[in-house]
Amino acid sequence: MCGIVGFLGKRNASEVLVEGLSKLEYRGYDSAGVAILNHGDINVKKCKGRLRNLEEKLNVEPLEGNLGIGHTRWATHGEPSDVNSHPHCNGNETVSVVHNGIIENYLSIKEWLTSKGYEFLSDTDTEVIPNLVDYYYEGDLIDAVIKATRKMEGSYAIGVISEKEPDKIVAVRKDSPLIVGVGEDEYFIASDIPAVLNHTRNVYLLEDKEFVIMTRQGIKLVNEEKEEIKKEIYKVTWNADAAEKGGFEDFTIKEIHEQPKAVKDTMTSRIVEGEKIKLDKISLTKEHLDNIDKVYIVACGTAYHAGVVGKYVIEKLAGIPVEIDVASEFRYREPLMNDRTLLIVVSQSGETADTLAVLRDGKKKGCRVLAVTNVVGSSVSREAHDVLYTWAGPEIAVASTKAYVTQLIAMYTLALHLASLKEKLTVEDIEEIKKEMLELPKKIEKVIENKEEIQKFASKHYMERDMFFLGRGLDYAIAMEASLKLKELTYIHSEAYPGGELKHGPIALIEKGTVVISSLTQTALRDKMVSNIQEVATRGARVMAIAYEGDTEVEKSVEAVIYIPRTLDLLAPVLAIIPMQLLAYYTAVQKGLDVDKPRNLAKSVTVE
Ligand code: F6R
């Protein structure tokens, strides 16, 4: 996820662009840059770090010119660095491009262009775009951009400028957002409306493959065949603050709604039907794996909970025993790590102090370290031997939601990869799981659509003092995460127990009115879980169950059932956790709490 802007008018472009980018920092903030066209020359200023670094650079060396493009980056391909920052240019800097999205086939395009004499400086996927535009340029920028996009697979919103047509910006989107702002004698492009709201409330909301040709004479929208598109101007009536959240009340609910896309992005180019799983930053081989006799997964908080699912699925699919621990315990228990250990660390931020300490200790002791992280260029990603990035985009809300579900996807992907290295599953088995994984984004959308039932339950129970989560197998793994989410967002005391442990003590806490939440997605354990539900219901508990569509029998003993679409039991955590996230969210909203910034918590725990 990145933010792009473009400006054509009479004012200083770099000032307008930087101001626009400041409204898009929520989309990424590891580097920023602008490219300005002045007297037919493109001048680029870009640097790693927050936008203020770019501002300081521009204060020292201002850029003249009233046409340009700008970018704030959230790294996916290539770590945050000056050279990987956007805008990117072709070799002789006659074309400059800003891009949000992922060009999935960039490696093959890069090879193809290299064979034609093109050279590349960065590790990014984006750099192929200005070079493609240069390659196809035959006197008309829009033709070159259309041809370039025909070659590109994946998602993109791009802004393109060229020295050969110095009074023009060309832009287009596919599966990444892009809007056009129409001011008085000045025009804008942006990833999101807040970037233009200080200048205009008149915008075009672009659809996929609608091309923008912006000149001093005005704006023309065309399709791939260059036929003009007539579009209504959309008048923005809301304020910038709400718009940064995409119209959502807060980042938490926005990020919950972003989960289908985050899951899809994390699978992109890795899980493809009929193709082998591709993990570009993982060089772990069958030989490495044959030499490994122990696997640890170590993490904190929500990431630890994703690791619990990871343990289960790696053991089941790859047949390798896995131990899991929280980093703050693991590091002080003199763990038995050596050169026959595979250490998997999971961290959204990639900066969590305890997790990083475990990684460093593991490396010292000779372990092979594999990191699952969301932040490209983070300490964890730089120091591990292998990295599996989750592509959730920036997670702004303190309580993790979309990062967690992408960590689950990373765990499945890794388990399948290990299983195929170990030759534990047949190609058909792997294909079946991949096929079901590819269905998950749509199914998550369906679960989110069904939020009213959860809202109703939350509005009845938001004043509770305690809530309990029960589950067995993978349902217990997500019960732990659900319980953490409820604590964090609502300050309601909650505990997660394995269903089978109930009679060993916790059942003493159940009395008339106690709220119990339980999911029933593990077919082999379903009947046992139903018995546990009956045991608490008989003692007066008010139960909300999460069950597969069609499992109506469970309605008899519970106050509410939230149905989720059927999937493989192994993948069910990705769907079953969503109602529980929504329950925590709506309960917190009912209580009038600050959901994005719960008390006492920080997004990145960089101290012990
Ligand atoms: C809970 C939450 C935390 C983090 C934990 C680890 O919603 O976000 O429990 O999961 O602090 O953080 P990372 O994943 O950045 O290492």
Side-chain angles (χ1 to χ4, degrees):
M1 193 151 128
C2 301
I4 71 169
V5 288
F7 172 72
L8 187 161
K10 293 182 177 146
R11 295 184 279 158
N12 179 287
S14 69
E15 285 169 18
V16 178
L17 293 174
V18 167
E19 190 260 337
L21 289 175
S22 71
K23 302 287 190 289
L24 298 181
E25 266 199 302
Y26 76 92
R27 301 181 64 82
Y29 42 73
D30 61 44
S31 44
V34 292
I36 308 293
L37 249 169
N38 191 28
H39 298 303
D41 282 332
I42 290 177
N43 294 298
V44 177
K45 287 264 184 292
K46 56 184 189 174
C47 54
K48 179 182 160 178
R50 295 279 174 142
L51 184 62
R52 63 175 172 272
N53 296 3
L54 176 69
E55 269 181 291
E56 279 162 20
K57 208 167 177 169
L58 286 166
N59 283 342
V60 180
E61 302 163 44
L63 286 178
E64 295 297 317
N66 44 34
L67 181 158
I69 51 179
H71 189 271
T72 178
R73 181 168 187 245
W74 177 258
T76 56
H77 294 63
E79 62 174 23
S81 67
D82 290 356
V83 69
N84 286 334
S85 310
H86 299 216
H88 286 283
C89 296
N90 59 329
N92 52 8
E93 298 198 356
T94 54
V95 180
S96 191
V97 170
V98 284
H99 166 221
N100 164 215
I102 296 173
I103 307 302
E104 288 166 20
N105 60 338
Y106 81 103
L107 282 175
S108 61
I109 298 179
K110 211 168 174 173
E111 247 172 57
W112 179 70
L113 286 170
T114 306
S115 74
K116 304 207 171 295
Y118 282 84
E119 285 174 14
F120 294 86
L121 301 174
S122 76
D123 302 318
T124 65
D125 51 336
T126 302
E127 203 184 357
V128 298
I129 307 174
N131 287 293
L132 275 177
V133 172
D134 178 65
Y135 176 79
Y136 286 121
Y137 190 81
E138 286 173 343
D140 195 349
L141 186 58
I142 183 67
D143 284 342
V145 173
I146 290 174
K147 283 184 185 150
T149 57
R150 288 201 175 122
K151 193 97 186 153
M152 288 152 43
E153 285 166 19
S155 59
Y156 49 82
I158 55 173
V160 185
I161 57 174
S162 165
E163 287 185 356
K164 298 194 176 132
E165 299 186 31
D167 269 335
K168 191 178 278 179
I169 298 177
V170 169
V172 62
R173 62 158 278 184
K174 181 184 160 274
D175 297 332
S176 291
L178 190 66
I179 61 110
V180 177
V182 185
E184 270 185 38
D185 293 330
E186 56 182 21
Y187 310 104
F188 310 81
I189 55 163
S191 296
D192 200 354
I193 292 170
V196 305
L197 270 190
N198 275 348
H199 314 291
T200 180
R201 289 186 165 266
N202 294 333
V203 300
Y204 289 118
L205 305 173
L206 295 185
E207 301 294 335
D208 279 357
K209 290 286 184 100
E210 290 183 341
F211 291 78
V212 184
I213 307 167
M214 190 179 279
T215 63
R216 298 199 182 275
Q217 285 69 52
I219 285 171
K220 197 170 160 189
L221 303 178
V222 296
N223 64 16
E224 245 184 320
E225 277 68 50
K226 286 210 297 181
E227 294 155 346
E228 192 160 351
I229 299 167
K230 291 279 169 227
K231 222 176 174 51
E232 292 271 300
I233 289 260
Y234 170 71
K235 256 208 152 5
V236 183
T237 51
W238 23 264
N239 65 30
D241 219 34
E244 269 167 53
K245 293 168 188 149
F248 290 103
E249 284 297 304
D250 43 67
F251 282 107
T252 307
I253 193 68
K254 176 172 182 267
E255 288 164 8
I256 288 174
H257 278 80
E258 281 171 353
Q259 293 183 115
K261 180 166 187 311
V263 163
K264 185 167 176 266
D265 287 349
T266 302
M267 293 191 291
T268 290
S269 76
R270 296 169 174 162
I271 305 288
V272 180
E273 264 188 87
E275 288 180 23
K276 272 195 145 185
I277 291 173
K278 285 185 239 93
L279 299 175
D280 52 343
K281 300 270 185 230
I282 293 189
S283 50
L284 186 77
T285 59
K286 182 167 167 36
E287 288 66 49
H288 288 129
L289 213 51
D290 287 344
N291 194 38
I292 275 161
D293 61 11
K294 196 176 296 128
V295 179
Y296 287 119
I297 302 182
V298 183
C300 302
T302 287
Y304 165 76
H305 295 147
V308 176
V309 174
K311 168 187 162 65
Y312 190 98
V313 296
I314 292 172
E315 288 186 346
K316 192 169 172 71
L317 299 182
I320 309 172
V322 180
E323 247 196 74
I324 163 107
D325 207 346
V326 288
S328 54
E329 285 299 310
F330 185 81
R331 65 185 284 202
Y332 296 115
R333 72 166 160 96
E334 296 176 21
L336 302 170
M337 296 192 282
N338 55 38
D339 60 357
R340 292 176 68 83
T341 307
L342 171 63
L343 174 64
I344 302 173
V345 293
V346 189
S347 174
Q348 186 283 131
S349 63
E351 302 295 346
T352 299
D354 284 318
T355 309
L356 198 52
V358 169
L359 179 157
R360 288 177 179 158
D361 188 29
K363 270 181 89 179
K364 241 189 256 160
K365 292 181 173 147
C367 300
R368 175 111 198 157
V369 183
L370 188 154
V372 174
T373 183
N374 195 38
V375 181
V376 178
S378 58
S379 303
V380 154
S381 77
R382 280 184 276 113
E383 296 185 32
H385 299 111
D386 300 296
V387 186
L388 179 48
Y389 287 112
T390 52
W391 288 341
E395 196 175 57
I396 308 290
V398 168
S400 183
T401 54
K402 63 175 182 170
Y404 172 71
V405 296
T406 59
Q407 284 162 355
L408 297 184
I409 297 298
M411 290 298 155
Y412 296 124
T413 309
L414 188 60
L416 286 175
H417 181 61
L418 298 180
S420 71
L421 286 181
K422 282 248 169 210
E423 294 167 8
K424 282 280 174 191
L425 293 179
T426 63
V427 174
E428 290 73 34
D429 289 339
I430 294 181
E431 281 305 309
E432 193 203 340
I433 298 171
K434 278 163 54 190
K435 193 164 170 274
E436 283 294 331
M437 284 176 76
L438 291 166
E439 296 286 316
L440 288 172
K442 267 205 203 94
K443 291 182 179 174
I444 300 173
E445 258 168 38
K446 213 170 155 203
V447 180
I448 296 175
E449 273 166 24
N450 188 17
K451 58 193 170 209
E452 261 173 43
E453 271 299 302
I454 303 159
Q455 249 169 318
K456 246 193 265 164
F457 192 84
S459 63
K460 264 201 240 161
H461 294 291
Y462 70 99
M463 292 307 285
E464 301 293 337
R465 202 192 49 190
D466 314 285
M467 287 195 193
F468 295 93
F469 291 83
L470 292 181
R472 285 171 180 257
L474 283 172
D475 284 324
Y476 172 55
I478 58 162
M480 288 193 265
E481 171 57 9
S483 171
L484 178 65
K485 221 67 329 162
L486 192 83
K487 287 185 190 93
E488 286 178 296
L489 290 182
T490 70
Y491 316 146
I492 292 174
H493 166 250
S494 79
E495 303 284 347
Y497 290 110
E501 274 292 290
L502 201 59
K503 293 195 208 60
H504 299 283
I507 199 161
L509 295 170
I510 306 295
E511 55 188 4
K512 195 167 181 326
T514 307
V515 172
V516 174
I517 322 289
S518 183
S519 54
L520 297 148
T521 66
Q522 302 303 297
T523 310
L525 299 166
R526 181 214 171 261
D527 292 350
K528 290 187 194 304
M529 204 54 240
V530 170
S531 302
N532 291 140
I533 288 176
Q534 273 158 358
E535 282 155 15
V536 294
T538 318
R539 287 163 179 84
R542 306 178 71 176
V543 181
M544 180 173 104
I546 293 143
Y548 283 135
E549 280 166 356
D551 189 1
T552 49
E553 201 196 301
V554 73
E555 286 175 16
K556 286 182 208 147
S557 351
V558 302
E559 181 177 309
V561 188
I562 307 299
Y563 289 108
I564 58 168
R566 282 193 182 270
T567 182
L568 297 178
D569 290 357
L570 199 68
L571 304 177
V574 178
L575 302 180
I577 192 62
I578 313 277
M580 305 207 207
Q581 293 172 338
L582 288 166
L583 175 68
Y585 173 77
Y586 287 121
T587 307
V589 170
Q590 280 283 345
K591 290 181 86 168
L593 299 172
D594 182 346
V595 279
D596 283 346
K597 293 194 193 72
R599 70 184 179 204
N600 307 337
L601 297 176
K603 185 71 190 157
S604 181
V605 186
T606 52
V607 288
E608 263 196 73

